[in-house]
Amino acid sequence: MSVGLQRLRAEPDVIRKGASDKGEDPALVDLALALDERRRARLGESDSLKAERNAASKRVGEAVRGGADPAGPEVAGIRASAAALGERIAALDLEITGIEAELEEAMLRIPNPADPDVPVGTAEDDVTVRTWGELLPRVAPVEGEVGADAAPGGATWVRLPHWDVAESLAIFELERGAKIAGSGFPVYRGAGAAMQRALIDFFLRTHTVENGFTEIWPPAVVNSASARGTGQIPDKEDQMYVVTRDDLYLVPTAEVPVTNLHRDEIFDAGALPVRYAAYSPCFRREAGAAGKDTRGILRVHQFDKVEMVLFERPEESSDALEWMVGRAEDLLRRLGLAYRVLLMATGDMGFVQAKKYDLEVWAPGVERWLEVSSCSNFRDYQARRMQIRYRPAPGAKPELVHTLNGSGLALARVVAAILETYQRPDGTVDVPAALRPFMGIDRILPPGT
RNA sequence: GGAGAGGUCGCCUAGUGGCCUAGGGCGCCGCACUGGAAAUGCGGUAUGGGGCAACCCAUCGAGGGUUCAAAUCCCUCCCUCUCCGCCA
């Protein structure tokens, strides 16, 4: 169950349109409605038979307590009819279980309808909401520097891709990573390692001290129930590393353990919003992406990320999404990285999201936009699957919360963008001012200098 | 990893096949009493599903089984605690 039977019954047209906008089959809605009808009919029968049986059992108990012979004919008659009821109940319940399995199967394939303000269409219909910062060119005039760094007038220099910068500065080692683990498992060294640590610290500190998030340091593995909760299984099972021996999954994002913290829980009336910022390593098999982005650290099997996870009251979730995007943007601005914000169209946003923004940072060395954050509002879709609820008021009936999450931010691509944005004609790289207190150096120099 | 003890309503606890339709206490909410409060008394206080409703059904860590009937008996699993071993 993900979209909710009540809503399905109340506004099937909205759900049908939501499905077709996302390129899914709207007929599933009618299938689900029919199954729901059948289920309720059978359930009514089963429930009243159970009520009869309970009454009969009670009569047996009263008779025995009243001194009747438990094996005598008086009791035997009731027992026989109760047993007959039991058989009919068992048959009905078997049928109901079957119907419910079909219904759930159908419900799981009905996507979360997108918000009304989301553009309908494919990736081509994504909307660039805003762009910030100067888009540095790959080939730039050598300018302005005084003294030793100055170059002859009119000269140009070419910004290198981050992998070339990394090699000359010995910041990370992809071949040795491949030797000890496999390709796509980078080893960070020296200032590169320090930059990882500094970014994590900078992000977490900003979120906790300035933005009011509670910091979480989650396990890097989860059990199958948690993987199911956020929809990693069965949908994205191929993307995860699995420890079959212990039925554990390496987390592909902190979203999985952190959202599951409140699975099957009910928040008290005043508890929301609950906002977490969590660092975790992220493990992704990237099945099906072989041969794509093979150079550098744009697509790796293990990277680091600080994730924002929000549990909100339904009426606040729309504002919370905009706020969360702003928190991620703030980090990029402080790092001095040019970026753009994309509002994803219905066909490009995924099955479970109601609204999704991507943040892409400009990497002048490879002349590409790199996705470093994805911020989504799931509304009650994910909460329904995980049964995460809250009380609107003390003593009131529990209702589903709205969940949101977004990267704030993903490290590997941020590092790539920093190396390409802050490199200098002499091959060194300036440390962005925001990171200097965390790294303790102002500039990354080649080893041995 | 070995041995033992446990998992019951927000919390504590009673409960060894049928008056369990899960009792009691604490907490919480309402009402009464009060100038106001404390104390006291009375009532209420889980979640999901079905039904217009009265009401019915399900849930005592999870899942199976035995039985007319399971919190209670049997099987499997999960978790917590104590002791021992090992260990960053």
Side-chain angles (χ1 to χ4, degrees):
Chain A
M1 307 295 155
S2 291
V3 91
L5 278 170
Q6 266 118 28
R7 186 170 175 207
L8 195 75
R9 289 176 205 144
E11 43 187 32
D13 294 339
V14 175
I15 312 296
R16 274 193 210 97
K17 179 175 187 306
S20 48
D21 282 351
K22 284 194 174 182
E24 305 287 339
D25 184 4
L28 284 165
V29 173
D30 301 287
L31 174 63
L33 284 171
L35 287 166
D36 176 47
E37 195 86 12
R38 273 178 63 202
R39 171 182 161 274
R40 278 190 287 169
R42 293 292 182 278
L43 202 57
E45 280 185 64
S46 172
D47 276 0
S48 57
L49 289 177
K50 281 175 184 168
E52 273 188 62
R53 182 182 61 181
N54 289 347
S57 290
K58 204 171 174 181
R59 282 203 300 281
V60 173
E62 281 163 2
V64 170
R65 237 178 300 121
D69 176 6
E74 185 191 345
V75 174
I78 310 177
R79 289 177 48 177
S81 62
L85 285 173
E87 280 174 34
R88 290 174 60 196
I89 291 169
L92 267 174
D93 281 354
L94 193 67
E95 191 186 350
I96 292 168
T97 306
I99 295 171
E100 284 179 343
E102 279 183 70
L103 178 58
E104 187 163 347
E105 162 78 23
M107 293 298 282
L108 282 172
R109 288 161 55 207
I110 299 173
N112 198 6
D115 283 0
D117 58 345
V118 168
V120 175
T122 62
E124 292 167 16
D125 301 295
D126 292 346
V127 174
T128 302
V129 179
R130 56 187 165 269
T131 303
W132 183 92
E134 184 190 355
L135 302 192
L136 296 173
R138 192 169 75 92
V139 180
V142 178
E143 52 174 271
E145 293 285 345
V146 194
D149 289 335
T156 60
W157 66 290
V158 178
R159 290 174 190 277
L160 300 173
H162 63 278
W163 52 81
D164 286 338
V165 179
E167 187 174 339
S168 62
L169 297 180
I171 285 174
F172 50 75
E173 304 183 320
L174 302 181
E175 291 190 4
R176 283 185 174 145
K179 176 171 73 177
I180 62 172
S183 81
F185 291 94
V187 174
Y188 296 93
R189 169 187 288 270
M195 186 176 284
Q196 294 281 120
R197 170 168 52 75
L199 284 166
I200 293 164
D201 197 0
F202 168 54
F203 294 163
L204 282 173
R205 190 175 295 204
T206 304
H207 289 319
T208 55
V209 175
E210 298 180 28
N211 300 335
F213 287 91
T214 300
E215 183 171 347
I216 299 287
W217 201 284
V221 295
V222 292
N223 57 29
S224 53
S226 298
R228 196 172 299 280
T230 38
Q232 262 64 38
I233 49 178
D235 312 3
K236 303 171 188 162
E237 206 158 357
D238 291 348
Q239 292 303 323
M240 282 196 298
Y241 289 96
V242 186
V243 185
T244 52
R245 182 169 173 157
D246 297 299
D247 186 34
L248 292 171
Y249 298 77
L250 272 61
V251 300
T253 158
E255 169 198 349
V256 180
V258 175
T259 310
N260 273 285
L261 286 177
H262 295 292
R263 173 157 47 92
D264 297 320
E265 289 186 8
I266 301 172
F267 288 105
D268 285 336
L272 298 182
V274 169
R275 294 170 173 173
Y276 293 131
Y279 161 76
S280 85
C282 302
F283 301 92
R284 300 188 182 178
R285 295 186 62 239
E286 298 294 347
K292 208 172 165 186
D293 300 325
T294 49
R295 298 206 67 181
I297 52 172
L298 298 185
R299 187 178 297 275
V300 286
H301 291 308
Q302 180 181 344
F303 62 96
D304 301 273
K305 180 161 63 65
V306 171
E307 184 78 359
M308 302 176 279
V309 177
L310 278 54
F311 302 86
E312 300 280 337
R313 301 173 77 97
E315 63 273 21
E316 323 244 304
S317 73
S318 293
D319 288 344
L321 176 63
E322 305 300 323
W323 176 82
M324 179 171 63
V325 170
R327 296 313 93 217
E329 287 184 63
D330 177 57
L331 297 173
L332 291 173
R333 291 182 189 216
R334 294 204 208 181
L335 288 173
L337 298 174
Y339 69 90
R340 64 179 183 181
V341 180
L342 265 50
L343 173 60
M344 312 301 277
T346 51
D348 196 28
M349 67 192 294
F351 196 80
V352 300
Q353 291 87 351
K355 188 174 183 181
K356 173 173 156 184
Y357 290 104
D358 272 6
L359 269 60
E360 296 184 339
V361 72
W362 176 248
V366 292
E367 293 184 293
R368 280 178 52 186
W369 293 101
L370 308 178
E371 181 187 333
V372 292
S373 178
S374 182
C375 300
S376 306
N377 186 355
F378 302 96
R379 300 207 168 270
D380 65 7
Y381 196 87
Q382 202 177 44
R384 181 171 296 103
R385 194 187 284 212
M386 282 194 267
Q387 285 299 297
I388 305 176
R389 293 170 292 173
Y390 77 108
R391 277 180 219 286
K397 279 267 173 210
E399 287 175 25
L400 294 166
V401 304
H402 280 194
T403 61
L404 305 88
N405 65 54
S407 341
L409 300 158
L411 258 65
R413 292 173 184 169
V414 169
V415 169
I418 289 174
L419 296 179
E420 296 184 10
T421 299
Y422 283 91
Q423 64 180 283
R424 299 158 51 94
D426 65 3
T428 63
V429 171
D430 283 329
V431 173
L435 284 186
R436 288 177 193 171
F438 295 92
M439 285 183 68
I441 58 172
D442 294 349
R443 189 179 293 184
I444 302 174
L445 306 173
T449 58

